[in-house]
Amino acid sequence: MAVMVIDLNADLGEGFGRWTLTDDDALLSVVTSANVACGFHAGDPVTMRRVCALAAERGVRIGAQVSYRDLAGFGRRAMDVPPDELAAEVAYQIGALDVFARAAGSRVAYVKPHGALYNRTVGDAAQAAAVVAGVLLAGGPDGGLPVLGLPGSELLAAAGKAGLPAVAEAFADRAYTERGTLVPRGEAGAVLLDGDAVVAQALAVARDGQVVAAGGRRIAAGARSLCLHGDTPGAADLARRVRRELQDAGVVLGAFA
């Protein structure tokens, strides 16, 4: 039987100045990849530097969590940004984070959009292409970075077309529609808060490549990486439980990048 290998990723560094949201220290002891906020929806230079140093120290891969420029809305508000501008802003965020990653003896190893940008690039080919253009711009002559996104999304299609590694992810703590997309956060039940439900969904993704959609139907959700949100109540304890349950089930945890 083939060994199941999955990456655990979480959104980290989501603070600003004296405001903090994620328990970065605790989560970096659990995950194998860290999606670090790059200053556009959250994060600041001091936070970015600190999280990169902790991640490098613990052997956790560093990913650029790029966003629309929306600090006030935490990157969760829909925005219309011209493609050229969006590509430049994506490259800017990757470059800023890479300074701190390299200073810590590591590097930015992949890119994942955040919030509204992530959801927009599921079905918007133009915005998806702009994100990929930004990744290519940041990669320079050394080549591009892997792109993490939802299976079947325009983002992963654009990444693959550009020759970038397109890495599919699933969510342990988000509800799915029957189309395989995430239930919008404004709707009831969009975020799974029950620990048993989160663990069950994580195991279903890792072992079966499936989740149960909000309507009750099983849908495909094959993924190389599994996301655990760091901004939900008790996130660190829940992440530890998910990691333990996966390992007890024979799943090997390993970064994809």
Side-chain angles (χ1 to χ4, degrees):
M1 185 173 71
V3 176
M4 296 170 288
V5 181
I6 199 161
D7 170 66
L8 288 181
N9 78 77
D11 299 343
L12 301 179
E14 291 185 326
F16 190 82
R18 297 181 64 184
W19 172 66
T20 58
L21 178 64
T22 50
D23 189 345
D24 299 324
D25 187 71
L27 286 165
L28 282 168
S29 297
V30 178
V31 300
T32 49
S33 295
N35 318 315
V36 184
C38 300
F40 271 35
H41 77 282
D44 57 40
V46 172
T47 301
M48 292 160 68
R49 183 179 184 183
R50 175 178 54 80
V51 174
C52 285
L54 285 171
E57 178 184 300
R58 298 178 189 183
V60 176
R61 298 293 190 272
I62 297 169
Q65 186 188 12
V66 299
S67 170
Y68 286 128
R69 188 190 294 269
D70 181 26
L71 274 176
F74 196 60
R76 288 180 176 163
R77 297 185 292 191
M79 303 182 76
D80 288 313
V81 180
D84 286 350
E85 183 177 336
L86 180 57
E89 292 190 342
V90 166
Y92 178 92
Q93 292 175 78
I94 297 168
L97 185 66
D98 198 46
V99 167
F100 299 118
R102 291 183 182 275
S106 185
R107 62 183 178 85
V108 169
Y110 66 94
V111 178
K112 175 184 173 179
H114 164 82
L117 181 58
Y118 186 97
N119 292 326
R120 181 73 172 267
T121 58
V122 170
D124 189 320
Q127 292 282 279
V131 170
V132 169
V135 176
L136 291 170
L137 179 60
D142 297 328
L145 297 166
V147 176
L148 188 60
L150 206 64
S153 64
E154 291 290 348
L155 177 66
L156 293 192
K161 185 177 180 180
L164 302 177
V167 183
E169 76 166 337
F171 291 79
D173 52 8
R174 290 293 306 275
Y176 281 78
T177 71
E178 292 191 352
R179 294 181 291 111
T181 58
L182 301 179
V183 173
R185 279 185 173 266
E187 296 184 14
V191 179
L192 305 183
L193 300 176
D194 178 75
D196 290 341
V198 173
V199 169
Q201 184 150 296
L203 288 170
V205 169
R207 295 187 303 192
D208 309 321
Q210 294 182 334
V211 297
V212 178
R217 187 167 67 88
R218 286 190 171 275
I219 61 170
R224 177 64 180 84
S225 187
L226 183 65
C227 181
L228 299 165
H229 281 93
D231 60 346
T232 51
D237 287 338
L238 184 55
R240 292 188 193 99
R241 182 181 170 190
V242 168
R243 181 185 176 104
R244 183 175 63 250
E245 296 276 1
L246 287 171
Q247 290 177 318
D248 288 348
V251 178
V252 175
L253 302 181
F256 64 85

